[in-house]
Amino acid sequence: MKIAILGAGESGVGAALLAKAKGLEVFVSDKGEIKEQYKAKLATAAIPFEEGTHTLENILKADEIIKSPGIPGKAAVIQEANKKQIPVISEIEFAGRYTDAKFICITGTNGKTTTTLLTYHLLKNAGVNVGLAGNIGESLAEKVIENKHDYYVVELSSFQLDDMYQFKAHIAVLTNITPDHLDRYEYSMEKYAASKLRIAQNMTGADFFLFNADDENIRKAFDSASFGGTTIPFSLQGAEGAKVYFEDKKIKVTAKFYEGAVDTSKSGLIGKHNQYNTMAAVAVAKLMGVDDGEIEKGLETFENAEHRLQLIGIAKEVSYINDSKATNVEAVWYALEGIKQPIIWIAGGVDKGNDYSTLADLAREKVKVLVCLGKDNEKLKEAFGRVVPIIAETTSMDYAVRLSRSLATPGDVVLLSPACASFDLFDNYEHRGRRFKEAVEKIVLKK
């Protein structure tokens, strides 16, 4: 069987290595430049590859194509494959064929990474033989080569879900659905929501679908009557039928035989959005048989990922928080809502068609300064010009941090939470977050 792989990043190279390990004929093609670390892996495994182009003659000889999530279905090479009726799948779909492990899959517009990391942490700390993979930055296919785990916690983006067909989750989590990446879905929320709900496809009565019952878009899109699995709604707002909810600082889980009341008072996660994330992760742990005390220990020891409301440091009673992963309005809303102190907000970048009006009330209440960090800040200035007392703009992260430090008073929070993509000034949101961290350490913390 011949496999062509489009894209030589983490997922593509992982798929190539798995295909090679299974004795398949593999060819890897990347229209961009392949990073040296991935070239080295391909070369060591003697897998032929090309970069800077897609040679259709070679690609279209394949019996099946595995494509990077970043390549849209409308790309010319995919259109040509469709004409020849060559199946196009994701790395996750491919990896699922080669393991009997069960999958705990997590998606959502916001919160999926925190929920994924927390779920993995709770299970691993409790002694479950579990691996971590997916959109979190680790290839599931490459992990499946050794196949040493009984379970995998897998973060899934909508782009990955689009190319998954036979794959089945044992436990699936949907944190929320809010507008994002709509350019990939013909600006249709219905199509975007349908993509997210693919996480629950192929489920049977022995499988569990956890979803945010307070989310209007999920309620509209999810057809519970035709769903084959077991639903476990979670809610902060007392939604009818909710099986996971907060009572004071305890999470109550009442799902079939899995019951518990888990104390969250020692968790370091802040904000209402993290209450949703924690409910989902705790419910998964209960379904996996983890006892309440073990879950509480895990909540206490969990440290969130970089670039997600990450505290960089405190100087002169001013906290500096890196939330570079907040690339849409909803994620910023959660950040502003969760922080109780006055905020100096650093935002901006490549606008994704954002409607900033939902942030106006929170900004008016909490934001004392808005520092626009981007090449084109007009939309931000227009949205908040009459809302925030002081607005400045720059294309320099160092300047943004210096200005924030000079305007901050004890008790303030300097928050990088951009609401935009990073590609005008940075390689990606991680690069932007690292630059913020470096600037804070150099200018403020004097490290």
Side-chain angles (χ1 to χ4, degrees):
M1 184 175 182
K2 293 180 180 178
I3 300 289
I5 295 174
L6 303 180
E10 180 70 18
S11 66
V13 171
L17 294 172
L18 176 59
K20 179 79 173 182
K22 298 303 176 182
L24 306 178
E25 188 178 331
V26 194
F27 174 67
V28 177
S29 175
D30 195 311
K31 201 165 186 179
E33 186 178 338
I34 301 175
K35 290 181 179 177
E36 289 302 321
Q37 71 196 75
Y38 295 129
K39 280 187 193 177
K41 282 189 174 185
L42 293 170
T44 300
I47 296 171
F49 63 89
E50 66 178 356
E51 60 182 330
T53 187
H54 285 319
T55 304
L56 286 178
E57 183 183 354
N58 292 334
I59 293 166
L60 298 179
K61 287 177 183 174
D63 299 301
E64 192 168 52
I65 291 172
I66 301 168
K67 81 170 181 69
S68 159
I71 300 173
K74 63 185 179 185
V77 63
I78 304 301
Q79 294 297 311
E80 290 300 318
N82 291 341
K83 284 179 193 174
K84 284 190 158 284
Q85 297 185 313
I86 301 171
V88 178
I89 63 169
S90 73
E91 171 237 349
I92 305 292
E93 174 82 2
F94 183 64
R97 298 172 181 173
Y98 294 100
T99 178
D100 292 326
K102 291 186 175 181
F103 298 107
I104 299 159
C105 297
I106 297 162
T107 195
T109 309
N110 299 297
K112 58 183 175 291
T113 298
T114 298
T115 306
T116 299
L117 291 173
L118 179 56
T119 301
Y120 173 71
H121 178 77
L122 295 180
L123 297 180
K124 192 168 189 297
N125 274 19
V128 178
N129 180 19
V130 63
L132 177 69
N135 194 55
I136 202 81
E138 298 191 39
S139 166
L140 177 63
E142 189 167 354
K143 288 180 182 289
V144 162
I145 296 169
E146 291 188 17
N147 202 25
K148 59 186 181 183
H149 299 294
D150 298 325
Y151 296 89
Y152 289 96
V153 178
V154 186
E155 179 186 326
L156 294 172
S157 69
S158 57
F159 297 169
Q160 288 169 311
L161 288 161
D162 287 337
D163 297 299
M164 290 166 58
Y165 303 96
Q166 303 304 316
F167 183 94
K168 178 176 80 72
H170 171 51
I171 300 175
V173 176
L174 179 54
T175 59
N176 49 61
I177 301 175
T178 60
D180 198 20
H181 303 300
L182 292 187
D183 54 331
R184 201 64 182 248
Y185 296 96
E186 300 172 15
Y187 296 93
S188 163
M189 271 300 293
E190 289 77 13
K191 289 182 178 179
Y192 177 56
S195 174
K196 286 295 188 190
L197 280 161
R198 288 172 72 89
I199 198 167
Q201 66 188 3
N202 305 319
M203 290 183 122
T204 67
D207 304 313
F208 301 92
F209 178 42
L210 287 67
F211 64 93
N212 182 346
D214 298 334
D215 187 286
E216 183 181 354
N217 289 314
I218 295 176
R219 290 199 304 270
K220 280 183 188 173
F222 178 52
D223 181 7
S224 59
S226 63
F227 177 62
T230 300
T231 57
I232 302 182
F234 54 91
S235 172
L236 281 179
Q237 299 173 10
E240 186 179 348
K243 295 176 182 176
V244 188
Y245 51 92
F246 261 90
E247 208 169 81
D248 296 322
K249 291 191 174 181
K250 288 190 173 181
I251 292 174
K252 295 289 186 76
V253 181
T254 56
K256 283 200 165 181
F257 305 110
Y258 309 95
E259 295 196 9
V262 176
D263 185 359
T264 68
S265 59
K266 292 183 179 177
S267 169
L269 294 174
I270 64 170
K272 189 182 292 183
H273 64 301
N274 275 322
Q275 289 184 300
Y276 283 108
N277 299 338
T278 304
M279 278 194 290
V282 165
V284 171
K286 289 306 300 176
L287 291 173
M288 292 289 292
V290 181
D291 69 47
D292 298 348
E294 287 285 349
I295 296 173
E296 287 167 9
K297 282 183 201 170
L299 291 175
E300 186 177 358
T301 56
F302 176 67
E303 292 182 8
N304 205 356
E306 280 191 303
H307 319 298
R308 293 164 184 84
L309 287 172
Q310 174 195 18
L311 178 64
I312 302 300
I314 301 172
K316 296 183 178 177
E317 298 179 53
V318 176
S319 300
Y320 293 79
I321 292 178
N322 170 20
D323 193 37
S324 185
K325 180 66 167 63
T327 59
N328 58 53
V329 167
E330 190 80 7
V332 174
W333 189 94
Y334 287 134
L336 296 179
E337 183 273 336
I339 294 169
K340 304 309 177 189
Q341 305 96 309
I343 297 167
I344 296 175
W345 175 28
I346 302 173
V350 179
D351 185 275
K352 298 192 288 185
N354 291 342
D355 175 5
Y356 295 109
S357 61
T358 56
L359 299 178
D361 288 345
L362 278 171
R364 186 177 289 108
E365 176 191 347
K366 296 186 174 185
V367 177
K368 56 191 279 188
V369 179
L370 170 60
V371 180
C372 302
L373 177 64
K375 289 183 177 178
D376 182 359
N377 302 305
E378 292 309 307
K379 196 169 173 184
L380 274 171
K381 290 193 295 183
E382 183 181 341
F384 297 102
R386 296 182 182 179
V387 175
V388 176
I390 301 172
I391 294 182
E393 58 182 323
T394 181
T395 56
S396 163
M397 182 65 82
D398 281 4
Y399 180 82
V401 170
R402 286 184 195 281
L403 180 63
S404 299
R405 179 189 62 175
S406 69
L407 295 173
T409 55
D412 288 353
V413 170
V414 174
L415 171 70
L416 170 67
S417 193
C420 298
S422 55
F423 306 120
D424 57 342
L425 298 174
F426 306 96
D427 297 339
N428 47 43
Y429 77 81
E430 293 100 332
H431 180 215
R432 176 171 57 193
R434 286 195 304 271
R435 283 289 300 115
F436 177 70
K437 182 172 184 280
E438 289 163 4
V440 170
E441 288 179 344
K442 177 181 71 175
I443 296 163
V444 179
L445 305 178
K446 307 293 185 185
K447 287 189 176 180

